[in-house]
């Protein structure tokens, strides 16, 4: 009886090991694509491509091209770049090469006025020493 239970546990352990090693090898594919500017169709260098709710990510090269290995459970990727609107792209394993146009984000900031109140803080002992050195030079 004890021998049968040991064999049973060995079989379960072996089955788990096989399942853990086969799943990653079978369940991955590669997404290829190109990120371009929507208006000019020029490549966007350094755009970030990341799986939605996933840590896998990459960036586009000098021609806007990227390659990302993902598993079949990933359904969407997010493409972001500074100065452009983020976009979420749905994936299917049949996608060969994605062309992803990004739209420029129109963002304006309020004007900032910089004024000088005085040369520097007179309460700082370092500035007093500097003044003395300049005067006695």
């Amino acid at each position: 009886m004890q021998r049968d239970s040991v064999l049973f546990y060995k079989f379960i352990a072996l089955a788990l090991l096989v399942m853990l090693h086969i799943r990653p090898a079978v369940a991955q594919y590669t997404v290829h694509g190109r990120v371009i500017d929507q208006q000019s169709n020029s490549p966007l260098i350094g755009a970030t491509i990341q799986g939605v709710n996933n840590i896998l990510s990459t960036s586009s090269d000098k021609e806007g091209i990227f390659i990302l290995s993902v598993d079949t459970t990933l359904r969407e990727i997010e493409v972001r770049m500074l100065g452009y609107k983020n976009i979420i792209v749905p994936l299917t394993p049949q996608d060969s090469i994605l062309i992803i146009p990004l739209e420029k984000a129109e963002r304006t900031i309020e004007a900032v006025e910089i004024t000088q109140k005085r040369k520097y803080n007179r309460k700082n002992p370092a500035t007093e020493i500097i003044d003395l050195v300049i005067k006695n030079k």
Side-chain angles (χ1 to χ4, degrees):
M1 183 73 175
Q2 186 178 7
R3 182 172 176 240
D4 290 337
S5 64
V6 169
L7 285 174
F8 175 74
Y9 288 122
K10 283 184 179 181
F11 175 76
I12 295 295
L14 181 63
L16 284 173
L17 281 173
V18 169
M19 288 175 20
L20 289 175
H21 287 291
I22 290 176
R23 184 185 179 279
V26 174
Q28 289 192 346
Y29 67 100
T30 304
V31 177
H32 299 263
R34 187 166 191 232
V35 183
I36 59 172
D37 182 280
Q38 188 176 37
Q39 293 175 343
S40 67
N41 287 335
S42 60
L44 295 177
I45 303 167
T48 301
I49 299 91
Q50 182 174 12
V52 174
N53 298 326
N54 199 312
I55 60 170
L56 298 174
S57 67
T58 189
S59 60
S60 58
D61 65 9
K62 65 181 179 178
E63 297 184 16
I65 296 172
F66 69 89
I67 299 172
L68 181 64
S69 294
V70 298
D71 60 35
T72 54
T73 60
L74 187 65
R75 300 287 182 229
E76 299 174 323
I77 57 172
E78 181 180 16
V79 182
R80 330 183 272 280
M81 184 163 178
L82 189 62
Y84 290 84
K85 293 181 180 178
N86 298 352
I87 185 170
I88 294 180
V89 180
L91 292 179
T92 62
Q94 294 79 23
D95 290 333
S96 56
I97 298 178
L98 299 170
I99 305 296
I100 304 171
L102 291 185
E103 181 182 348
K104 287 189 178 180
E106 297 297 325
R107 294 185 182 162
T108 57
I109 59 172
E110 294 180 23
V112 177
E113 184 178 328
I114 300 173
T115 58
Q116 182 179 6
K117 290 187 178 180
R118 59 181 132 145
K119 191 171 180 179
Y120 44 75
N121 186 357
R122 291 271 180 200
K123 295 179 182 176
N124 187 344
T127 57
E128 293 174 10
I129 294 171
I130 292 171
D131 284 340
L132 289 173
V133 170
I134 292 172
K135 285 179 186 176
N136 295 322
K137 191 171 182 184

